[in-house]
Structure formats: C-alpha cells, structure tokens
Amino acid sequence: MSDNLKTIKELADELGVSKTAINKKVTDRERKLWFAKIGNKFVINGNGQKAIKEMFEGDTENRKTKTENLERKPKSKTENFQDDNENNADIKYILDIIEYQKEQIKDLQNTKDEQFKQLSNMQNLLDQQQHLALQDKNLLEDYKSEIKDLKALKLPLEAKKGNQLDKVEKEELERLKAQLKALELDRSKTEHLKTIEKQQKKWWQLWK
C-alpha cells in the first residue's frame, strides 16, 4: 500500500477505533472526496486521513475531559488548608526574593554613589593640579622676565662702573705723578745743598 494511502482498517487500527466508527464520522460528500476503491478495498487519501484523525482527536479530548471531571473530587477542608499554606509559602518566598533584590539594588546604589564621590574627588584633585601647574608656569615666566630685566640693567651698571674705575685710576696716577715730581724736586734740592756744602768745605780748607 502506498505511503500516502491507507485502507479504512489500517487507519482504524492506527486510531484505535473500529471501521464502523470511521464510516459514521464521514459523510457521503467527504467519502467522495477522500475515499477511492483499489481492487476490492477502499483506501483513504492523505487529506481524508488528516481530517478523520482530527475528528477522533477532538472526541478523545472531550472524553478525557469528561473522565477527569468525573474523577475529580471536591477537596476536603484539610486539603484546602494545605493548599492555602502552600500558596502562602510561595507568596512568602516571592516576597523574600523581592526584598533580596531590593537590598541588592540598594547596595548597587550605594556603590554607585561612592564611585561618583570618588570620581568627584579625583576631578577636584585634577583641577587643583592643573591650577598649580598654571601657577608654576606663570612664576617661571615671571622669573624669566626678571632675569631678562636684570641682565639689561647689568650692562649699563658695568659700563658705568668701568668709567668710574678709569676716573679713579687717572686721579691716582696724577697724584702719584705729583708725588714723584715732588720727590724729584726734593732730591734735586738735596743734591744742590750737598754740592754747596762740599764747595763751602773746600773754600774753608783753602782759607785755613
């Protein structure tokens, strides 16, 4: 038998029902669409198989629901109390989880605040360092300017000092020249006096 075609018995065995049950489900119109005769047997095409399976699956679900409803008994007060306790335990567990999550959120917020505080402190330190660096730069520029001004003043002072030294040296030289001249004059006078004394001695000896 082809994989796409099944006999009524094959489909009935697959669904766990009788051939009569399938024939009761299928209308004459559906039988013309889905059924075909091969030899002395009726076969069902793929569309028919799918539709018939859905019919019986619906019946199976309905029977199962009815059976469950019949088997379901009213709960006793004890069972209801146990269910309430279980529900309360579940609620308490959920509330505990919520509280734990709240604590985690609070810890994260505190950590975030602390990190923000540290970041602010670091920013303040950075601003202070930049301010000090700017002050150092300004002081260095001031020192350079002062050194430049001092160098500019030093040259005229040195020139002036040199001129003053030249003047002092000239005055000292003139003074020494005057002293030397005076000494020469004194020496000449002394020599002249010695010469006169010698001549006087000679004349004195001659007169003796």
Side-chain angles (χ1 to χ4, degrees), residues 167-179:
K167 184 178 180 181
V168 171
E169 289 176 354
K170 288 179 180 179
E171 291 177 352
E172 183 67 18
L173 182 60
E174 292 297 330
R175 187 179 66 80
L176 291 174
K177 285 181 178 180
Q179 288 181 353

Side-chain angles (χ1 to χ4, degrees), residues 72-85:
R72 188 177 298 162
K73 297 179 181 179
K75 291 184 178 181
S76 64
K77 292 182 179 180
T78 302
E79 290 174 335
N80 289 332
F81 181 74
Q82 290 176 349
D83 290 342
D84 291 339
N85 288 338

Side-chain angles (χ1 to χ4, degrees), residues 117-174:
K117 184 178 179 181
Q118 291 177 356
L119 183 62
S120 298
N121 292 334
M122 291 176 64
Q123 184 63 42
N124 291 333
L125 290 174
L126 182 60
D127 292 340
Q128 290 178 1
Q129 289 178 350
Q130 290 178 345
H131 182 67
L132 291 174
L134 182 61
Q135 283 185 338
D136 292 340
K137 183 179 179 181
N138 292 334
L139 286 174
L140 182 60
E141 293 296 329
D142 292 340
Y143 289 152
K144 287 181 179 179
S145 179
E146 289 180 1
I147 291 171
K148 185 177 180 180
D149 293 340
L150 289 173
K151 286 182 178 179
L153 291 172
K154 185 178 180 181
L155 293 175
L157 288 174
E158 288 180 349
K160 185 176 180 181
K161 185 177 179 181
N163 293 333
Q164 290 177 349
L165 288 174
D166 291 342
K167 184 178 180 181
V168 171
E169 289 176 354
K170 288 179 180 179
E171 291 177 352
E172 183 67 18
L173 182 60
E174 292 297 330

Side-chain angles (χ1 to χ4, degrees), residues 57-78:
E57 285 175 358
D59 289 345
T60 302
E61 290 295 329
N62 291 333
R63 287 197 299 270
K64 183 178 179 181
T65 302
K66 290 179 181 178
T67 302
E68 288 177 351
N69 289 334
L70 291 173
E71 291 177 351
R72 188 177 298 162
K73 297 179 181 179
K75 291 184 178 181
S76 64
K77 292 182 179 180
T78 302

Side-chain angles (χ1 to χ4, degrees), residues 6 39 74 76 103 105 115 123 129 147 158 199 203:
K6 289 183 180 180
S76 64
E103 290 296 327
I105 293 171
Q115 289 177 346
Q123 184 63 42
Q129 289 178 350
I147 291 171
E158 288 180 349
Q199 289 178 353
W203 286 105

